PDB file of all heavy atoms in Angstrom:
ATOM      1  N   ASN A  37       5.072 -12.542 -34.796  1.00 45.00           N
ATOM      2  CA  ASN A  37       5.453 -13.943 -34.889  1.00 45.00           C
ATOM      3  C   ASN A  37       6.597 -14.035 -35.879  1.00 45.00           C
ATOM      4  O   ASN A  37       6.423 -13.768 -37.054  1.00 45.00           O
ATOM      5  CB  ASN A  37       4.249 -14.764 -35.352  1.00 45.00           C
ATOM      6  CG  ASN A  37       4.590 -16.213 -35.579  1.00 45.00           C
ATOM      7  OD1 ASN A  37       5.734 -16.620 -35.429  1.00 45.00           O
ATOM      8  ND2 ASN A  37       3.583 -16.989 -35.928  1.00 45.00           N
ATOM      9  N   GLN A  38       7.771 -14.421 -35.433  1.00 44.00           N
ATOM     10  CA  GLN A  38       8.944 -14.431 -36.285  1.00 44.00           C
ATOM     11  C   GLN A  38       9.051 -15.695 -37.132  1.00 44.00           C
ATOM     12  O   GLN A  38       9.983 -15.855 -37.885  1.00 44.00           O
ATOM     13  CB  GLN A  38      10.205 -14.274 -35.438  1.00 44.00           C
ATOM     14  CG  GLN A  38      10.247 -12.971 -34.682  1.00 44.00           C
ATOM     15  CD  GLN A  38      10.184 -11.758 -35.575  1.00 44.00           C
ATOM     16  OE1 GLN A  38      10.819 -11.707 -36.616  1.00 44.00           O
ATOM     17  NE2 GLN A  38       9.387 -10.781 -35.214  1.00 44.00           N
ATOM     18  N   ASN A  39       8.101 -16.625 -37.031  1.00 43.00           N
ATOM     19  CA  ASN A  39       8.147 -17.861 -37.804  1.00 43.00           C
ATOM     20  C   ASN A  39       7.310 -17.775 -39.061  1.00 43.00           C
ATOM     21  O   ASN A  39       6.815 -18.767 -39.553  1.00 43.00           O
ATOM     22  CB  ASN A  39       7.673 -19.039 -36.944  1.00 43.00           C
ATOM     23  CG  ASN A  39       8.585 -19.249 -35.751  1.00 43.00           C
ATOM     24  OD1 ASN A  39       9.786 -19.073 -35.870  1.00 43.00           O
ATOM     25  ND2 ASN A  39       8.003 -19.594 -34.620  1.00 43.00           N
ATOM     26  N   SER A  40       7.123 -16.598 -39.592  1.00 44.00           N
ATOM     27  CA  SER A  40       6.282 -16.440 -40.766  1.00 44.00           C
ATOM     28  C   SER A  40       6.996 -16.951 -42.008  1.00 44.00           C
ATOM     29  O   SER A  40       8.209 -17.031 -42.065  1.00 44.00           O
ATOM     30  CB  SER A  40       5.909 -14.976 -40.960  1.00 44.00           C
ATOM     31  OG  SER A  40       7.056 -14.233 -41.258  1.00 44.00           O
ATOM     32  N   SER A  41       6.202 -17.290 -43.004  1.00 43.00           N
ATOM     33  CA  SER A  41       6.796 -17.730 -44.260  1.00 43.00           C
ATOM     34  C   SER A  41       7.400 -16.532 -44.974  1.00 43.00           C
ATOM     35  O   SER A  41       6.970 -15.402 -44.804  1.00 43.00           O
ATOM     36  CB  SER A  41       5.737 -18.392 -45.136  1.00 43.00           C
ATOM     37  OG  SER A  41       4.715 -17.456 -45.417  1.00 43.00           O
ATOM     38  N   LYS A  42       8.398 -16.780 -45.793  1.00 48.00           N
ATOM     39  CA  LYS A  42       9.091 -15.698 -46.479  1.00 48.00           C
ATOM     40  C   LYS A  42       8.269 -15.219 -47.664  1.00 48.00           C
ATOM     41  O   LYS A  42       7.681 -15.997 -48.374  1.00 48.00           O
ATOM     42  CB  LYS A  42      10.464 -16.155 -46.931  1.00 48.00           C
ATOM     43  CG  LYS A  42      11.325 -16.518 -45.755  1.00 48.00           C
ATOM     44  CD  LYS A  42      12.764 -16.541 -46.116  1.00 48.00           C
ATOM     45  CE  LYS A  42      13.506 -16.937 -44.863  1.00 48.00           C
ATOM     46  NZ  LYS A  42      14.734 -16.420 -44.666  1.00 48.00           N
ATOM     47  N   SER A  43       8.246 -13.935 -47.870  1.00 53.00           N
ATOM     48  CA  SER A  43       7.584 -13.353 -49.027  1.00 53.00           C
ATOM     49  C   SER A  43       8.651 -12.652 -49.856  1.00 53.00           C
ATOM     50  O   SER A  43       9.763 -12.463 -49.417  1.00 53.00           O
ATOM     51  CB  SER A  43       6.509 -12.359 -48.576  1.00 53.00           C
ATOM     52  OG  SER A  43       7.104 -11.296 -47.882  1.00 53.00           O
ATOM     53  N   SER A  44       8.277 -12.277 -51.067  1.00 72.00           N
ATOM     54  CA  SER A  44       9.248 -11.574 -51.903  1.00 72.00           C
ATOM     55  C   SER A  44       9.415 -10.166 -51.364  1.00 72.00           C
ATOM     56  O   SER A  44       8.475  -9.539 -50.926  1.00 72.00           O
ATOM     57  CB  SER A  44       8.779 -11.555 -53.350  1.00 72.00           C
ATOM     58  OG  SER A  44       7.574 -10.840 -53.445  1.00 72.00           O
ATOM     59  N   GLY A  45      10.628  -9.681 -51.379  1.00 85.00           N
ATOM     60  CA  GLY A  45      10.895  -8.338 -50.877  1.00 85.00           C
ATOM     61  C   GLY A  45      11.312  -8.356 -49.422  1.00 85.00           C
ATOM     62  O   GLY A  45      11.296  -9.380 -48.750  1.00 85.00           O
ATOM     63  N   LEU A  46      11.694  -7.196 -48.941  1.00 89.00           N
ATOM     64  CA  LEU A  46      12.128  -7.014 -47.565  1.00 89.00           C
ATOM     65  C   LEU A  46      11.000  -6.368 -46.781  1.00 89.00           C
ATOM     66  O   LEU A  46      10.462  -5.337 -47.193  1.00 89.00           O
ATOM     67  CB  LEU A  46      13.380  -6.112 -47.531  1.00 89.00           C
ATOM     68  CG  LEU A  46      13.900  -5.712 -46.165  1.00 89.00           C
ATOM     69  CD1 LEU A  46      14.454  -6.932 -45.427  1.00 89.00           C
ATOM     70  CD2 LEU A  46      14.970  -4.646 -46.303  1.00 89.00           C
ATOM     71  N   GLU A  47      10.644  -6.957 -45.649  1.00 94.00           N
ATOM     72  CA  GLU A  47       9.611  -6.382 -44.793  1.00 94.00           C
ATOM     73  C   GLU A  47      10.285  -5.469 -43.775  1.00 94.00           C
ATOM     74  O   GLU A  47      11.229  -5.873 -43.099  1.00 94.00           O
ATOM     75  CB  GLU A  47       8.822  -7.481 -44.099  1.00 94.00           C
ATOM     76  CG  GLU A  47       8.022  -8.312 -45.070  1.00 94.00           C
ATOM     77  CD  GLU A  47       7.300  -9.457 -44.395  1.00 94.00           C
ATOM     78  OE1 GLU A  47       7.727  -9.896 -43.309  1.00 94.00           O
ATOM     79  OE2 GLU A  47       6.312  -9.917 -44.968  1.00 94.00           O
ATOM     80  N   ILE A  48       9.792  -4.235 -43.699  1.00 94.00           N
ATOM     81  CA  ILE A  48      10.385  -3.243 -42.802  1.00 94.00           C
ATOM     82  C   ILE A  48       9.313  -2.595 -41.938  1.00 94.00           C
ATOM     83  O   ILE A  48       8.126  -2.630 -42.269  1.00 94.00           O
ATOM     84  CB  ILE A  48      11.138  -2.135 -43.580  1.00 94.00           C
ATOM     85  CG1 ILE A  48      10.176  -1.366 -44.495  1.00 94.00           C
ATOM     86  CG2 ILE A  48      12.310  -2.722 -44.359  1.00 94.00           C
ATOM     87  CD1 ILE A  48      10.775  -0.116 -45.120  1.00 94.00           C
ATOM     88  N   ILE A  49       9.755  -2.010 -40.847  1.00 96.00           N
ATOM     89  CA  ILE A  49       8.908  -1.158 -40.011  1.00 96.00           C
ATOM     90  C   ILE A  49       9.517   0.229 -40.109  1.00 96.00           C
ATOM     91  O   ILE A  49      10.715   0.412 -39.860  1.00 96.00           O
ATOM     92  CB  ILE A  49       8.876  -1.640 -38.560  1.00 96.00           C
ATOM     93  CG1 ILE A  49       8.127  -2.961 -38.492  1.00 96.00           C
ATOM     94  CG2 ILE A  49       8.236  -0.591 -37.667  1.00 96.00           C
ATOM     95  CD1 ILE A  49       7.933  -3.493 -37.108  1.00 96.00           C
TER      96      ILE A  49
END
Side-chain angles (χ1 to χ4, degrees):
N37 175 358
Q38 298 301 318
N39 298 323
S40 66
S41 60
K42 297 198 181 213
S43 63
S44 63
L46 175 67
E47 294 177 336
I48 62 170
I49 291 184

